[in-house]
Amino acid sequence: MAVSRSFLMVLSLLSLAPLCFSHKGNGGYLYPHFYDHSCSRAQEIVKSIVAKAVAREARMAASLLRLHFHDCFVKGCDASLLLDNRGSIITEKLSNPNRNSARGFEVIDEIKSALEEECPHTVSCADILALAARDSTVLAGGPSWEVPLGRRDSKGASLSDSNNNIPAPNNTFQTIFTKFKLQGLDIADLVALSGSHTIGNARCTSFRQRLYNQSGDGQPDYSLDQSYAAQLRTRCPRSGGDQNLFFLDFVSPTKFDNNYFKNILASKGLLNSDQVLLTKNKASMELVKKYAKNKKLFFEQFAMSMIKMGNISPLMGLRGEIRKNCRRININTN
């Protein structure tokens, strides 16, 4: 069957289109230009404040990226993570994945305050998290993408979902993959999003078992390079030093690149959840090898997976609210 010239032209134009997706949910669509008329400087304001925060402390890029991830895995990308204890709300900040490690909340507060001044009651905290994650990635040298916008903020939090839904450093591969699948994410998303560990830090308590008692038999994890393990043991003893920080990617810890995958191939993935991408599943092993060899391929998939993750169960239309203060709901009826 002959293919029309106009059809080929459309395909060609589509292939040149910038990376962005709209997402339909209850009450409408998420789309990148959502604030063009209601708050035209929104993205500029977020970017400026994130840039200042990362200039003050390079680690903040990873912290802000992680906030978006930990928000989206609990009842969708609705800024529930940002709520403090108040009335009947028990904060997700107290969950095992967040306690003593989630950070960057004051940067989100600063962004929200500036946006409320510029265009009151317009930009949601959930959208701030999504934009800050993208801007942090770019500032660290990673890929960019157009962020679909139009999320609204939840009026509640779930400590139990935060404890149960967010993948843990010592989870098995199958448990981690199941947690991703429950959010509508696939194996390519799992491996690419794990690549965010190319920046940031982990605490000793997050990987101690690999150094001393991986399988409950008092033996270390032999899938970890033993000279690297010896190095880690100097600052991560059997007991004490829980909060001591270690680079997730010791080669280029503040640069968003593909060294994370190269480290895994060298048996130097810091967390158990990193190393199992190579050792426990053939499909993920192949992706680790591909991303280690081809940074461009990793960047492209990471951008697509971040958009996909940002589309997890957003509140839109009349659902939820636009919080004035990201730490509490607008009207406390408790």
Side-chain angles (χ1 to χ4, degrees), residues 194-200 249 252-260:
S194 296
S196 63
H197 287 175
T198 181
I199 55 175
D249 166 11
S252 51
T254 60
K255 185 169 172 50
F256 198 103
D257 54 26
N258 64 337
N259 275 324
Y260 164 80

Side-chain angles (χ1 to χ4, degrees), residues 5 61 87 110 121 150 159 167 181 199 206 209 253 256 272 303 315:
R5 205 172 189 171
E110 188 183 344
H121 202 65
L159 180 63
K181 280 199 293 188
I199 55 175
S206 299
Q209 88 286 346
F256 198 103
N272 184 65
L315 297 173

